[in-house]
Amino acid sequence: MKKGKKLYEGKAKIIYTTNDKNLVIQYFKDDATAFNNQKKSTIEGKGVLNNRISEHILSNLSQIGIKNHLLKRLNMREQVIKLVEIIPIEFIVRNVATGSITKRLGIEDGTVLKEPLIEYCLKSDKLGDPLIAEEHILAFDWATKKEIEKVKKMILRINDFMIGMFRGVGIKLIDFKLEFGRLKVNGKEEVILADEISPDTCRLWDSITDKKLDKDRFRKNLGDLIPAYTEVAKRLGILHEQSNVSAVNVTKLSSVKRKRK
Ligand code: 5GP
């Protein structure tokens, strides 16, 4: 597969064309941003860990029948994915109230929700990803009723699966963000899971101590982001228990791989 030109650069990833018009390469950067781009940094090794963790979760989801864009991981920072038309909505799934919902609704941090809550935000950096209602999605034709119904069903299965997967390794899945895209299959349009699922897009708390193992370490200046993401990867069995992957090691690994290409 030949890597072509840059198609799109986001806050944490870059998309490149390939010689196959239906496939693109997704490159995971080390850049971290928060609060609508007001806080920015580069955290060496983050992209490598997110690439591995997202690959693990999406391939597991594929095995339970959740269609998604991942074809295969190429190397430490890149994966081959199907080119989709991204639905311009961030689908937020919450099991425990924390983050923006606690401020917006005055809910006590850590409140366990009676049932999973799905929220919709318009994907717009300019507007700060505003919260919208399902009615907005339909009124402005950002997605059809059929697509939303399909997505909601997929989201609840994804949430059930991920809660169980993380519970098994001593992690609580507090909330997360998903994106979906449209794909033409045999002339028919289908909605599939896209983007990434990683500690950048989920809130993950240690089951016993409530220690934060996700991007809140960056947002809240808690430090030790790489050890936290490494801990998630180790518990999921992606990295070997005895391997001590520090930020430096992760970076060395990725540059070794790059030189070999
Ligand atoms: P909140 O609305 O509380 O800030 O975020 C809810 C969940 O969605 C968190 O797990 C958070 O990581 C994720 N999330 C919401 N918006 C974004 C976004 O623009 N980028 C990323 N990476 N995650 C997001």
Side-chain angles (χ1 to χ4, degrees):
M1 164 146 319
K2 245 181 89 190
K3 187 168 162 185
K5 65 173 195 324
K6 192 193 282 188
L7 196 60
Y8 167 82
E9 177 155 9
K11 285 173 277 189
K13 293 185 296 288
I14 307 175
I15 303 293
Y16 295 95
T17 59
T18 70
N19 48 338
D20 182 333
K21 68 175 175 26
N22 299 315
L23 301 177
V24 289
I25 290 173
Q26 172 163 257
Y27 175 95
F28 286 76
K29 301 196 283 185
D30 283 340
D31 295 354
T33 63
F35 313 120
N36 199 25
N37 245 340
Q38 287 171 40
K39 185 177 159 88
K40 284 183 196 176
S41 189
T42 302
I43 304 169
E44 263 183 33
K46 180 175 79 72
V48 175
L49 286 159
N50 282 345
N51 184 19
R52 294 290 299 268
I53 294 170
S54 192
E55 175 206 12
H56 178 83
I57 298 176
L58 264 62
S59 40
N60 274 283
L61 286 172
S62 184
Q63 282 172 24
I64 63 150
I66 302 290
K67 289 189 183 157
N68 64 67
H69 72 170
L70 179 70
L71 212 68
K72 63 168 181 176
R73 185 169 62 82
L74 265 186
N75 53 48
M76 299 295 277
R77 283 185 186 273
E78 295 175 320
Q79 11 182 280
V80 183
I81 58 169
K82 292 175 190 160
L83 179 63
V84 296
E85 178 200 347
I86 290 284
I87 295 175
I89 311 291
E90 293 191 342
F91 296 86
I92 309 291
V93 192
R94 300 184 190 272
N95 297 306
V96 175
T98 194
S100 68
I101 198 172
T102 58
K103 295 183 198 94
R104 196 188 331 126
L105 302 178
I107 308 287
E108 193 181 338
D109 194 90
T111 305
V112 177
L113 304 184
K114 237 177 97 183
E115 51 186 69
L117 173 67
I118 302 176
E119 291 180 331
Y120 310 102
C121 294
L122 180 65
K123 258 175 79 72
S124 165
D125 286 345
K126 202 171 70 190
L127 302 175
D129 298 343
L131 183 72
I132 52 170
E134 191 173 316
E135 285 76 5
H136 291 102
I137 301 178
L138 301 178
F140 297 108
D141 207 19
W142 289 319
T144 65
K145 181 90 189 155
K146 211 172 142 197
E147 285 174 333
I148 293 298
E149 291 311 316
K150 169 102 193 288
V151 163
K152 279 202 271 194
K153 269 194 196 147
M154 287 170 87
I155 284 179
L156 294 179
R157 282 201 71 205
I158 294 168
N159 189 40
D160 276 349
F161 174 82
M162 282 177 49
I163 288 177
M165 179 188 72
F166 280 117
R167 187 183 286 146
V169 297
I171 292 173
K172 285 190 276 195
L173 176 64
I174 304 300
D175 59 25
F176 55 104
K177 187 247 321 177
L178 296 175
E179 293 188 24
F180 292 84
R182 300 184 183 100
L183 182 72
K184 268 229 163 86
V185 183
N186 303 329
K188 256 182 73 186
E189 211 159 66
E190 194 171 77
V191 175
I192 65 169
L193 176 66
D195 194 49
E196 69 173 287
I197 303 181
S198 72
D200 262 15
T201 61
C202 301
R203 284 200 177 92
L204 304 168
W205 294 359
D206 179 88
S207 300
I208 295 166
T209 63
D210 277 354
K211 180 180 170 185
K212 291 170 176 55
L213 301 170
D214 56 66
K215 199 175 155 190
D216 271 355
R217 301 210 71 81
F218 169 70
R219 295 188 188 102
K220 294 172 179 269
N221 295 322
L222 299 172
D224 286 342
L225 180 138
I226 293 294
Y229 284 32
T230 303
E231 177 70 28
V232 172
K234 280 186 179 172
R235 289 201 201 176
L236 290 174
I238 301 166
L239 299 173
H240 294 302
E241 209 44 57
Q242 60 275 36
S243 68
N244 181 20
V245 179
S246 66
V248 174
N249 284 338
V250 167
T251 312
K252 268 190 198 151
L253 277 171
S254 65
S255 58
V256 165
K257 193 86 185 182
R258 264 200 303 275
K259 272 179 211 147
R260 272 202 219 121
K261 274 197 289 181

